[in-house]
Amino acid sequence: MNEEDRKKPEGSGLSRRDFMKIGGMTLAVPMVASPKVLRVGGEDVEVYGPEKTMVTLNVNGKLMRAELEPRVTLLDALRESFDLTGSKRVCDRATCGACTVWLDEKPVYACGMLAIDAQGHKITTIEGISTPENMDAVQKAFWENDAQQCGFCTPGFVMATKAFVEKNPHATLEDARKGLSGNLCRCGTYVGIHSALRQLTGMKEA
Amino acid sequence: MADYKWPDQQHRSYLGKKIDRLDGPVKLTGRAKYTYDYNPKGLLYGALVTCPYARAKVLSVDTSAAEKMPGVKALKVVKTPGTETHWAGDEIVALAAVDERIAEDAARAVVVKYEVLPHFVQDEIEPPKDIPLASGPLSQEDLEDMFSNQVPEGKIADAIKTRGINWKPDEGFFKDLKGYGVDQVVIDALRGAQVKPGTAGPKSPYKRTAVQTEGDPDKAFAEAAYVVEGVYGMPVITHCCLETHGLVAEWPDQKSMNVHVSTQNVSGMAAQMAPMLNLSASDIHVEQQNIGGGFGSKFGPDSWGMHAAELSKMAGGAPVKMMLDRKVEQEMAGARPSAYGRVKVGADKDGNLIAWESNSWGTGGVTGGGSPPLPYLFRIPNQKKQHTAVSCNIGSARAWRAPNHPQASLLTECALDDLAAKMGMDPMDFFLKNIEMTGPRAKTYAEEFKIAAEMIGWKEKWHPRGDKTPGPLKRGLGLGLHTWGGRGHESHCDLTVHPDGGVEVRIGSQDLGTGTRTVIAIVIADAMGIPIEHVKVFLGDNKYPMSGASGGSTTSGGVSSSTHRAAVDARDALLAKVASSLKAQPEELEVVKGTVRVKSDHSRAMTWKQACAKVGPVGITVRGNNPDRTKPPDLTNSGIGGVQMAEVSVDIETGVVRVEKLMAVQDAGLIVSKKTCETQMLGGMIMAVSYSLYEEKVMDPTTGRMLNPNIEFYRLAGLPDIKDLRIHLHNTQEQENRGVIGIAEGAVTAPGTAISNAIANAIGVRVPFMPFTPGRVLAALEEHGQNAMAGGAM
Ligand code: FES
Ligand code: FES
């Protein structure tokens, strides 16, 4: 591999963030800075960046603004610009679920989405669910069943589990196993998570 | 003199009970701050330029474009031209910039030219028979390698004496060794060693040690009624901590530094960083409240942490955050050494083990990696063994939960299981028949086997090799056993009883998620007789009294012993102050559930708060220590044994293995915090399911690069993989009398062996190497032909 290729991971000629820059091309972003307008496939497309642009996000019921390059992920914006560090960065490639937040009511991987694309949606992070003094039923079930160790995967698991049990209040354990397979824990707290799920849904084995 | 014994049954409100962990709510609500989350004002983001080649010489480094980029605040060339690199991922340049994107852009703008050198990354191939023995002088790396692989210190000293060393250690080096707790025999051997500089070892990737023999193995094999020979092994795996390695360094002035670091070693960090920065350890403030996993890989600042410290200084003291990205983390922040072995075992006609022979090999990176202790647990009377360390161009080995034990367990107990199969014997009977060879824990193992067998239904479900039921899904049972030390480490703490009744303890320890905070609070509450809510635990700061690194299951024993002694002393000091107001002698008083009272007359009493109000405005502060021979008894102990049994199903058409059940029985001394103890054990078992079925650092022999430096192709077990896992803590009175013993390492050792044996039991053939992927299962079936599926081929 030559030096040029090395600088472009995956040898595609594009870095992942370059790719996301293109992904940031969009037809319907609320106007905050003046985009370039390009004609693509017979349509006018607004293109942001690479310079910073004002991004407004609705996070946990509050409007938050920051000047961000369009290539900044939703996860990095939450963590770096708004100091909402409950969502963790682990794989940074939409595999592990540690960065799970809700976009409107749906759980999504915040590392797999650009901040600029999250505008106009209602974003809920772990900080928006509850406080340590006033935990939600899912969090209490995790606590009572000791479904955590280091806790690094835990906020993501809580966000995914809460969305899952709200949508599937009568799920079987097998359903839940599959439904939550998009979150990973290295410390191995799955047995505690099973117990928490059982407590939450009154589910039976499989 | 005060009685420092652990409280008896009547005085345990929390000890051994299931108490919710103290830090549950902050972690569950995302408020817990980890090193990765530390975002101080003016933070600079670090980035690394890493070497893409497995071995190369740096020819030139051009940083001009990167340095000109706006926002780049500091840059340091780590590997100057002429330097050789030894694995892909090795750092060439470190830099810091105002945001992460700029830092990454700048790293991409650095141009490095390399001369690519030949590499070697294939550790699973059996080394050639005719390698000369390693004889050259030992290097510092060889020594470190032996330490990290827990080679017995007598053996290390012998190697130093016979082979000499290739550098001249100075007094500072000896002092460091002492500081790390290295035995005097090694230090003496080094002092007396012959120094043969410049004669580094041979260029071959193989370093073979001399054959070790006990008894008369050749004769024993000749006389054996049953002999089997097999090859077994497990690859290099990574730690894959969810929080990657790294730290944030900042210099509030030119003479001191603050460090937030993801570490298992808060108290020991400053001393490792100070010399390289021309600071005293007392100038470095180290903090860590939470850590996202370590598993043995986070004891030092690491080279990239040192780069961050220097970059921060270069940037006028601004905080620099250097957390590895996932790719580099997987490439170089820790490899559990692989181990493979050709193993031969023999038994007499009654099933008594009489002979062992092994040729093992494995890698832990460039320096080779140490040898697993073989045969594991069973002191077979006649033995012959030899180990070859394979030097591979991969990131260096680090301790990985129970260093060397899973490897040794697999190589030994799979061979024993194969021997039992050859004899047509139930492996549980065979292991039990030979259990005396395991030494002092033999009786415990025998008890544990019975309990585990009942839990999994061994007697009803076990069948000879090869499930004969129709259909592609085959079921099987397997077992494994393990041991570990777990004695508490050196630990000190300061405990203060405030006049308002609050109790706080300050201790330079860390809670890895193992429940350290909870353990400490439980111990103090029960020693003082107060509600746990009164106890506040402060840890994760090197300005608190030194407490050992959390490795080798040493923390529970250490912190519980030091804090228990402190709590007893503080309670007694309090009772001495209030005795006269209750018209009693201090010895006549007790504290029960927050009430201070006269033992013989409960009407003479006051609340804990009333008592504390009498101690004066500054309260009482005492120091607690472990060990402390002036305050007997010894509160911690060493030596655990555990048995695990697995039930698997294997689809012989697809090769997919599922672990249906995993049952663990574990002796654990006195249990302090039952809930976190069980969680910790289950965590070990789950990690073992993960490494048995999925984990492997896949190296490409052609390019020498790791093919799966991420989490999508470096697979970890997920929720769907974990089915029925149960544990039984074998804490009989006899076990409790031993004091507190750490259990974390044990739990991760036996399950891999049990799973391997269960697969062999299900499909009738041994799948030699982990992870037991569909491809490997199908290959093993194919190799042994269709008959194998009908059972009994081995
Ligand atoms: S960090 Fe987003 S899924 Fe892993
Ligand atoms: S609790 Fe540590 S990764 Fe899940």
PDB file of all heavy atoms in Angstrom, chain B residues 322-350:
ATOM      1  N   MET B 322      -6.056  12.380  24.902  1.00  0.00           N
ATOM      2  CA  MET B 322      -5.561  11.391  23.933  1.00  0.00           C
ATOM      3  C   MET B 322      -6.215  10.054  24.250  1.00  0.00           C
ATOM      4  O   MET B 322      -5.743   9.287  25.081  1.00  0.00           O
ATOM      5  CB  MET B 322      -4.037  11.285  24.048  1.00  0.00           C
ATOM      6  CG  MET B 322      -3.382  10.360  23.050  1.00  0.00           C
ATOM      7  SD  MET B 322      -3.325  11.017  21.371  1.00  0.00           S
ATOM      8  CE  MET B 322      -1.906  12.106  21.455  1.00  0.00           C
ATOM      9  N   MET B 323      -7.355   9.818  23.625  1.00  0.00           N
ATOM     10  CA  MET B 323      -8.015   8.519  23.764  1.00  0.00           C
ATOM     11  C   MET B 323      -7.817   7.795  22.431  1.00  0.00           C
ATOM     12  O   MET B 323      -8.045   8.377  21.376  1.00  0.00           O
ATOM     13  CB  MET B 323      -9.514   8.684  24.035  1.00  0.00           C
ATOM     14  CG  MET B 323      -9.865   9.501  25.259  1.00  0.00           C
ATOM     15  SD  MET B 323      -9.268   8.881  26.852  1.00  0.00           S
ATOM     16  CE  MET B 323     -10.209   7.363  27.078  1.00  0.00           C
ATOM     17  N   LEU B 324      -7.413   6.544  22.483  1.00  0.00           N
ATOM     18  CA  LEU B 324      -7.199   5.811  21.234  1.00  0.00           C
ATOM     19  C   LEU B 324      -8.505   5.672  20.474  1.00  0.00           C
ATOM     20  O   LEU B 324      -9.563   5.555  21.084  1.00  0.00           O
ATOM     21  CB  LEU B 324      -6.665   4.412  21.534  1.00  0.00           C
ATOM     22  CG  LEU B 324      -5.288   4.338  22.188  1.00  0.00           C
ATOM     23  CD1 LEU B 324      -4.863   2.870  22.298  1.00  0.00           C
ATOM     24  CD2 LEU B 324      -4.254   5.133  21.414  1.00  0.00           C
ATOM     25  N   ASP B 325      -8.399   5.682  19.147  1.00  0.00           N
ATOM     26  CA  ASP B 325      -9.614   5.333  18.415  1.00  0.00           C
ATOM     27  C   ASP B 325      -9.719   3.809  18.394  1.00  0.00           C
ATOM     28  O   ASP B 325      -8.787   3.095  18.767  1.00  0.00           O
ATOM     29  CB  ASP B 325      -9.668   5.977  17.026  1.00  0.00           C
ATOM     30  CG  ASP B 325      -8.620   5.445  16.068  1.00  0.00           C
ATOM     31  OD1 ASP B 325      -8.166   4.296  16.245  1.00  0.00           O
ATOM     32  OD2 ASP B 325      -8.253   6.175  15.133  1.00  0.00           O
ATOM     33  N   ARG B 326     -10.872   3.310  18.014  1.00  0.00           N
ATOM     34  CA  ARG B 326     -11.135   1.877  18.146  1.00  0.00           C
ATOM     35  C   ARG B 326     -10.126   1.040  17.360  1.00  0.00           C
ATOM     36  O   ARG B 326      -9.689  -0.003  17.810  1.00  0.00           O
ATOM     37  CB  ARG B 326     -12.567   1.579  17.688  1.00  0.00           C
ATOM     38  CG  ARG B 326     -13.002   0.136  17.786  1.00  0.00           C
ATOM     39  CD  ARG B 326     -12.838  -0.477  19.162  1.00  0.00           C
ATOM     40  NE  ARG B 326     -13.504   0.235  20.216  1.00  0.00           N
ATOM     41  CZ  ARG B 326     -13.355  -0.059  21.517  1.00  0.00           C
ATOM     42  NH1 ARG B 326     -12.586  -1.062  21.907  1.00  0.00           N
ATOM     43  NH2 ARG B 326     -13.964   0.672  22.419  1.00  0.00           N
ATOM     44  N   LYS B 327      -9.748   1.515  16.199  1.00  0.00           N
ATOM     45  CA  LYS B 327      -8.846   0.725  15.358  1.00  0.00           C
ATOM     46  C   LYS B 327      -7.498   0.538  16.046  1.00  0.00           C
ATOM     47  O   LYS B 327      -7.006  -0.573  16.181  1.00  0.00           O
ATOM     48  CB  LYS B 327      -8.683   1.432  14.010  1.00  0.00           C
ATOM     49  CG  LYS B 327      -7.694   0.783  13.081  1.00  0.00           C
ATOM     50  CD  LYS B 327      -7.749   1.422  11.700  1.00  0.00           C
ATOM     51  CE  LYS B 327      -6.567   1.011  10.860  1.00  0.00           C
ATOM     52  NZ  LYS B 327      -5.302   1.635  11.304  1.00  0.00           N
ATOM     53  N   VAL B 328      -6.931   1.636  16.495  1.00  0.00           N
ATOM     54  CA  VAL B 328      -5.619   1.552  17.145  1.00  0.00           C
ATOM     55  C   VAL B 328      -5.733   0.784  18.464  1.00  0.00           C
ATOM     56  O   VAL B 328      -4.856  -0.003  18.823  1.00  0.00           O
ATOM     57  CB  VAL B 328      -5.030   2.964  17.360  1.00  0.00           C
ATOM     58  CG1 VAL B 328      -3.695   2.880  18.078  1.00  0.00           C
ATOM     59  CG2 VAL B 328      -4.863   3.661  16.020  1.00  0.00           C
ATOM     60  N   GLU B 329      -6.832   1.002  19.165  1.00  0.00           N
ATOM     61  CA  GLU B 329      -7.073   0.255  20.403  1.00  0.00           C
ATOM     62  C   GLU B 329      -6.960  -1.248  20.140  1.00  0.00           C
ATOM     63  O   GLU B 329      -6.276  -1.975  20.863  1.00  0.00           O
ATOM     64  CB  GLU B 329      -8.482   0.592  20.912  1.00  0.00           C
ATOM     65  CG  GLU B 329      -8.990  -0.277  22.057  1.00  0.00           C
ATOM     66  CD  GLU B 329      -8.469   0.137  23.421  1.00  0.00           C
ATOM     67  OE1 GLU B 329      -7.985   1.283  23.542  1.00  0.00           O
ATOM     68  OE2 GLU B 329      -8.540  -0.679  24.345  1.00  0.00           O
ATOM     69  N   GLN B 330      -7.635  -1.700  19.082  1.00  0.00           N
ATOM     70  CA  GLN B 330      -7.645  -3.134  18.784  1.00  0.00           C
ATOM     71  C   GLN B 330      -6.280  -3.606  18.295  1.00  0.00           C
ATOM     72  O   GLN B 330      -5.898  -4.744  18.523  1.00  0.00           O
ATOM     73  CB  GLN B 330      -8.705  -3.450  17.722  1.00  0.00           C
ATOM     74  CG  GLN B 330     -10.133  -3.236  18.191  1.00  0.00           C
ATOM     75  CD  GLN B 330     -10.559  -4.299  19.186  1.00  0.00           C
ATOM     76  OE1 GLN B 330     -10.041  -4.384  20.297  1.00  0.00           O
ATOM     77  NE2 GLN B 330     -11.505  -5.132  18.796  1.00  0.00           N
ATOM     78  N   GLU B 331      -5.566  -2.718  17.607  1.00  0.00           N
ATOM     79  CA  GLU B 331      -4.269  -3.128  17.070  1.00  0.00           C
ATOM     80  C   GLU B 331      -3.199  -3.224  18.149  1.00  0.00           C
ATOM     81  O   GLU B 331      -2.378  -4.123  18.133  1.00  0.00           O
ATOM     82  CB  GLU B 331      -3.805  -2.133  15.990  1.00  0.00           C
ATOM     83  CG  GLU B 331      -4.526  -2.288  14.683  1.00  0.00           C
ATOM     84  CD  GLU B 331      -4.112  -1.240  13.660  1.00  0.00           C
ATOM     85  OE1 GLU B 331      -3.699  -0.119  14.052  1.00  0.00           O
ATOM     86  OE2 GLU B 331      -4.211  -1.523  12.467  1.00  0.00           O
ATOM     87  N   MET B 332      -3.203  -2.270  19.079  1.00  0.00           N
ATOM     88  CA  MET B 332      -2.024  -2.255  19.950  1.00  0.00           C
ATOM     89  C   MET B 332      -2.264  -2.078  21.440  1.00  0.00           C
ATOM     90  O   MET B 332      -1.299  -2.101  22.201  1.00  0.00           O
ATOM     91  CB  MET B 332      -1.034  -1.204  19.459  1.00  0.00           C
ATOM     92  CG  MET B 332      -1.483   0.223  19.623  1.00  0.00           C
ATOM     93  SD  MET B 332      -0.030   1.291  19.417  1.00  0.00           S
ATOM     94  CE  MET B 332      -0.756   2.878  19.626  1.00  0.00           C
ATOM     95  N   ALA B 333      -3.502  -1.961  21.881  1.00  0.00           N
ATOM     96  CA  ALA B 333      -3.665  -1.718  23.315  1.00  0.00           C
ATOM     97  C   ALA B 333      -3.949  -2.987  24.107  1.00  0.00           C
ATOM     98  O   ALA B 333      -4.694  -2.980  25.073  1.00  0.00           O
ATOM     99  CB  ALA B 333      -4.750  -0.681  23.555  1.00  0.00           C
ATOM    100  N   GLY B 334      -3.319  -4.060  23.694  1.00  0.00           N
ATOM    101  CA  GLY B 334      -3.418  -5.259  24.516  1.00  0.00           C
ATOM    102  C   GLY B 334      -3.791  -6.503  23.765  1.00  0.00           C
ATOM    103  O   GLY B 334      -4.801  -6.549  23.074  1.00  0.00           O
ATOM    104  N   ALA B 335      -2.921  -7.500  23.888  1.00  0.00           N
ATOM    105  CA  ALA B 335      -3.183  -8.796  23.283  1.00  0.00           C
ATOM    106  C   ALA B 335      -3.058  -9.845  24.377  1.00  0.00           C
ATOM    107  O   ALA B 335      -2.087  -9.847  25.114  1.00  0.00           O
ATOM    108  CB  ALA B 335      -2.155  -9.067  22.187  1.00  0.00           C
ATOM    109  N   ARG B 336      -4.059 -10.702  24.498  1.00  0.00           N
ATOM    110  CA  ARG B 336      -3.887 -11.846  25.388  1.00  0.00           C
ATOM    111  C   ARG B 336      -3.064 -12.876  24.619  1.00  0.00           C
ATOM    112  O   ARG B 336      -3.437 -13.247  23.510  1.00  0.00           O
ATOM    113  CB  ARG B 336      -5.243 -12.455  25.777  1.00  0.00           C
ATOM    114  CG  ARG B 336      -5.063 -13.672  26.687  1.00  0.00           C
ATOM    115  CD  ARG B 336      -6.372 -14.232  27.192  1.00  0.00           C
ATOM    116  NE  ARG B 336      -6.981 -15.134  26.222  1.00  0.00           N
ATOM    117  CZ  ARG B 336      -8.083 -15.857  26.472  1.00  0.00           C
ATOM    118  NH1 ARG B 336      -8.675 -15.766  27.642  1.00  0.00           N
ATOM    119  NH2 ARG B 336      -8.590 -16.644  25.558  1.00  0.00           N
ATOM    120  N   PRO B 337      -1.954 -13.350  25.198  1.00  0.00           N
ATOM    121  CA  PRO B 337      -1.106 -14.273  24.446  1.00  0.00           C
ATOM    122  C   PRO B 337      -1.871 -15.513  23.992  1.00  0.00           C
ATOM    123  O   PRO B 337      -2.735 -16.015  24.707  1.00  0.00           O
ATOM    124  CB  PRO B 337      -0.021 -14.658  25.454  1.00  0.00           C
ATOM    125  CG  PRO B 337      -0.004 -13.557  26.441  1.00  0.00           C
ATOM    126  CD  PRO B 337      -1.416 -13.052  26.520  1.00  0.00           C
ATOM    127  N   SER B 338      -1.528 -15.971  22.817  1.00  0.00           N
ATOM    128  CA  SER B 338      -2.101 -17.217  22.339  1.00  0.00           C
ATOM    129  C   SER B 338      -1.368 -18.377  23.002  1.00  0.00           C
ATOM    130  O   SER B 338      -0.278 -18.200  23.552  1.00  0.00           O
ATOM    131  CB  SER B 338      -1.941 -17.326  20.822  1.00  0.00           C
ATOM    132  OG  SER B 338      -0.575 -17.270  20.469  1.00  0.00           O
ATOM    133  N   ALA B 339      -1.959 -19.540  22.943  1.00  0.00           N
ATOM    134  CA  ALA B 339      -1.262 -20.746  23.396  1.00  0.00           C
ATOM    135  C   ALA B 339      -1.793 -21.927  22.600  1.00  0.00           C
ATOM    136  O   ALA B 339      -3.000 -22.080  22.422  1.00  0.00           O
ATOM    137  CB  ALA B 339      -1.489 -20.976  24.880  1.00  0.00           C
ATOM    138  N   TYR B 340      -0.859 -22.680  22.091  1.00  0.00           N
ATOM    139  CA  TYR B 340      -1.200 -23.900  21.369  1.00  0.00           C
ATOM    140  C   TYR B 340      -0.334 -25.001  21.949  1.00  0.00           C
ATOM    141  O   TYR B 340       0.720 -24.727  22.526  1.00  0.00           O
ATOM    142  CB  TYR B 340      -0.896 -23.739  19.875  1.00  0.00           C
ATOM    143  CG  TYR B 340      -1.669 -22.609  19.238  1.00  0.00           C
ATOM    144  CD1 TYR B 340      -1.155 -21.318  19.207  1.00  0.00           C
ATOM    145  CD2 TYR B 340      -2.930 -22.838  18.680  1.00  0.00           C
ATOM    146  CE1 TYR B 340      -1.879 -20.269  18.640  1.00  0.00           C
ATOM    147  CE2 TYR B 340      -3.649 -21.801  18.114  1.00  0.00           C
ATOM    148  CZ  TYR B 340      -3.121 -20.519  18.092  1.00  0.00           C
ATOM    149  OH  TYR B 340      -3.841 -19.501  17.538  1.00  0.00           O
ATOM    150  N   GLY B 341      -0.754 -26.224  21.774  1.00  0.00           N
ATOM    151  CA  GLY B 341       0.103 -27.288  22.290  1.00  0.00           C
ATOM    152  C   GLY B 341      -0.230 -28.632  21.699  1.00  0.00           C
ATOM    153  O   GLY B 341      -1.401 -28.931  21.409  1.00  0.00           O
ATOM    154  N   ARG B 342       0.836 -29.396  21.483  1.00  0.00           N
ATOM    155  CA  ARG B 342       0.659 -30.815  21.156  1.00  0.00           C
ATOM    156  C   ARG B 342       0.842 -31.543  22.473  1.00  0.00           C
ATOM    157  O   ARG B 342       1.902 -31.431  23.106  1.00  0.00           O
ATOM    158  CB  ARG B 342       1.701 -31.243  20.121  1.00  0.00           C
ATOM    159  CG  ARG B 342       1.590 -32.691  19.698  1.00  0.00           C
ATOM    160  CD  ARG B 342       2.502 -32.983  18.508  1.00  0.00           C
ATOM    161  NE  ARG B 342       2.025 -32.312  17.290  1.00  0.00           N
ATOM    162  CZ  ARG B 342       1.017 -32.752  16.531  1.00  0.00           C
ATOM    163  NH1 ARG B 342       0.362 -33.854  16.866  1.00  0.00           N
ATOM    164  NH2 ARG B 342       0.650 -32.106  15.445  1.00  0.00           N
ATOM    165  N   VAL B 343      -0.201 -32.205  22.900  1.00  0.00           N
ATOM    166  CA  VAL B 343      -0.212 -32.754  24.249  1.00  0.00           C
ATOM    167  C   VAL B 343      -0.451 -34.256  24.197  1.00  0.00           C
ATOM    168  O   VAL B 343      -1.310 -34.735  23.443  1.00  0.00           O
ATOM    169  CB  VAL B 343      -1.336 -32.096  25.090  1.00  0.00           C
ATOM    170  CG1 VAL B 343      -1.396 -32.702  26.490  1.00  0.00           C
ATOM    171  CG2 VAL B 343      -1.128 -30.589  25.183  1.00  0.00           C
ATOM    172  N   LYS B 344       0.321 -34.974  25.010  1.00  0.00           N
ATOM    173  CA  LYS B 344       0.140 -36.425  25.115  1.00  0.00           C
ATOM    174  C   LYS B 344      -0.060 -36.743  26.591  1.00  0.00           C
ATOM    175  O   LYS B 344       0.695 -36.247  27.431  1.00  0.00           O
ATOM    176  CB  LYS B 344       1.400 -37.100  24.584  1.00  0.00           C
ATOM    177  CG  LYS B 344       1.246 -38.556  24.240  1.00  0.00           C
ATOM    178  CD  LYS B 344       2.390 -38.998  23.314  1.00  0.00           C
ATOM    179  CE  LYS B 344       3.411 -39.783  24.105  1.00  0.00           C
ATOM    180  NZ  LYS B 344       4.499 -40.333  23.311  1.00  0.00           N
ATOM    181  N   VAL B 345      -1.087 -37.528  26.902  1.00  0.00           N
ATOM    182  CA  VAL B 345      -1.287 -37.937  28.301  1.00  0.00           C
ATOM    183  C   VAL B 345      -1.536 -39.432  28.355  1.00  0.00           C
ATOM    184  O   VAL B 345      -2.099 -40.023  27.429  1.00  0.00           O
ATOM    185  CB  VAL B 345      -2.491 -37.242  28.987  1.00  0.00           C
ATOM    186  CG1 VAL B 345      -2.087 -35.942  29.608  1.00  0.00           C
ATOM    187  CG2 VAL B 345      -3.663 -37.068  28.050  1.00  0.00           C
ATOM    188  N   GLY B 346      -1.130 -40.009  29.462  1.00  0.00           N
ATOM    189  CA  GLY B 346      -1.307 -41.458  29.614  1.00  0.00           C
ATOM    190  C   GLY B 346      -1.852 -41.810  30.990  1.00  0.00           C
ATOM    191  O   GLY B 346      -1.586 -41.118  31.978  1.00  0.00           O
ATOM    192  N   ALA B 347      -2.633 -42.896  31.031  1.00  0.00           N
ATOM    193  CA  ALA B 347      -3.178 -43.386  32.294  1.00  0.00           C
ATOM    194  C   ALA B 347      -2.978 -44.893  32.371  1.00  0.00           C
ATOM    195  O   ALA B 347      -2.843 -45.561  31.331  1.00  0.00           O
ATOM    196  CB  ALA B 347      -4.673 -43.070  32.381  1.00  0.00           C
ATOM    197  N   ASP B 348      -2.963 -45.413  33.613  1.00  0.00           N
ATOM    198  CA  ASP B 348      -2.861 -46.865  33.746  1.00  0.00           C
ATOM    199  C   ASP B 348      -4.243 -47.490  33.550  1.00  0.00           C
ATOM    200  O   ASP B 348      -5.231 -46.783  33.303  1.00  0.00           O
ATOM    201  CB  ASP B 348      -2.227 -47.244  35.096  1.00  0.00           C
ATOM    202  CG  ASP B 348      -3.121 -46.868  36.283  1.00  0.00           C
ATOM    203  OD1 ASP B 348      -4.320 -46.571  36.082  1.00  0.00           O
ATOM    204  OD2 ASP B 348      -2.606 -46.841  37.410  1.00  0.00           O
ATOM    205  N   LYS B 349      -4.327 -48.785  33.684  1.00  0.00           N
ATOM    206  CA  LYS B 349      -5.589 -49.461  33.318  1.00  0.00           C
ATOM    207  C   LYS B 349      -6.753 -49.088  34.243  1.00  0.00           C
ATOM    208  O   LYS B 349      -7.909 -49.192  33.880  1.00  0.00           O
ATOM    209  CB  LYS B 349      -5.402 -50.975  33.271  1.00  0.00           C
ATOM    210  CG  LYS B 349      -5.029 -51.605  34.617  1.00  0.00           C
ATOM    211  CD  LYS B 349      -4.906 -53.113  34.438  1.00  0.00           C
ATOM    212  CE  LYS B 349      -4.724 -53.862  35.749  1.00  0.00           C
ATOM    213  NZ  LYS B 349      -4.243 -53.160  36.932  1.00  0.00           N
ATOM    214  N   ASP B 350      -6.435 -48.593  35.451  1.00  0.00           N
ATOM    215  CA  ASP B 350      -7.499 -48.186  36.374  1.00  0.00           C
ATOM    216  C   ASP B 350      -7.907 -46.724  36.199  1.00  0.00           C
ATOM    217  O   ASP B 350      -8.755 -46.222  36.935  1.00  0.00           O
ATOM    218  CB  ASP B 350      -7.046 -48.384  37.822  1.00  0.00           C
ATOM    219  CG  ASP B 350      -6.674 -49.837  38.075  1.00  0.00           C
ATOM    220  OD1 ASP B 350      -7.382 -50.711  37.540  1.00  0.00           O
ATOM    221  OD2 ASP B 350      -5.685 -50.070  38.778  1.00  0.00           O
TER     222      ASP B 350
END
